[in-house]
Amino acid sequence: MKKTIYEKMGGAYIRYGDYLIPCLTLPEEKQRFIGVWWQKHLRYLKEYRRGIYLNLITSGKLNDYLADIEEQAQERFERVVEQMKQAQGITEQLKADDTLEWIGRMNNIQACAREIVDNDIIYQ
């Protein structure tokens, strides 16, 4: 029997009843940390960038891509929080003197930093 192009390239078939079905597998990927930025960007890719998502998943590069996005987003988040703390004069002394005021300000800064990271990295 003559080999198909798929078989010449190293592919194989499985007989399922009267049909020959190609054995398709994705390359193995090492698992890396999954965080909140990873999940947000994955959801964004699935909903709004379907072509990019399908290309990444079929090439086996999705996990590495999302792990890189996670690292970039986390670094950016921490940097923005630190810069905003310095700009607003939030110190450990404020934390010791007025804990509730410090918590309120930090929550506000973190919410702003999340918006910045979402707009600059996650939803691009």
Side-chain angles (χ1 to χ4, degrees):
M1 184 163 148
K2 186 176 177 184
K3 285 191 174 185
T4 64
I5 295 173
Y6 178 67
E7 289 173 318
K8 289 177 186 175
M9 294 175 56
Y13 292 97
I14 293 177
R15 181 169 297 280
Y16 188 77
D18 292 338
Y19 300 100
L20 290 175
I21 299 176
C23 299
L24 302 175
T25 58
L26 294 174
E28 290 293 322
E29 291 185 73
K30 61 181 180 193
Q31 289 295 326
R32 289 169 63 184
F33 176 71
I34 298 174
V36 77
W37 308 112
W38 166 305
Q39 294 168 356
K40 280 183 170 183
H41 193 65
L42 178 61
R43 189 175 329 119
Y44 172 74
L45 287 176
K46 284 181 178 179
E47 291 180 20
Y48 300 105
R49 302 279 191 232
R50 190 79 175 153
I52 294 171
Y53 170 72
L54 292 174
N55 285 339
L56 288 169
I57 200 164
T58 54
S59 67
K61 297 178 183 175
L62 182 64
N63 285 342
D64 285 336
Y65 171 77
L66 290 174
D68 292 341
I69 291 291
E70 175 74 27
E71 290 171 8
Q72 290 174 16
Q74 187 61 36
E75 287 172 10
R76 179 77 185 268
F77 176 76
E78 291 169 2
R79 191 172 347 112
V80 168
V81 166
E82 199 57 42
Q83 290 171 348
M84 293 177 89
K85 277 174 51 178
Q86 290 175 0
Q88 295 182 18
I90 298 175
T91 62
E92 290 298 315
Q93 185 62 38
L94 176 64
K95 184 178 180 181
D97 294 343
D98 191 358
T99 306
L100 290 178
E101 176 69 20
W102 181 84
I103 290 171
R105 287 178 160 196
M106 285 302 294
N107 285 341
N108 186 30
I109 286 173
Q110 289 177 351
C112 292
R114 275 191 295 275
E115 284 293 321
I116 290 169
V117 171
D118 283 346
N119 289 331
D120 291 350
I121 298 175
I122 303 302
Y123 302 127
Q124 289 294 322

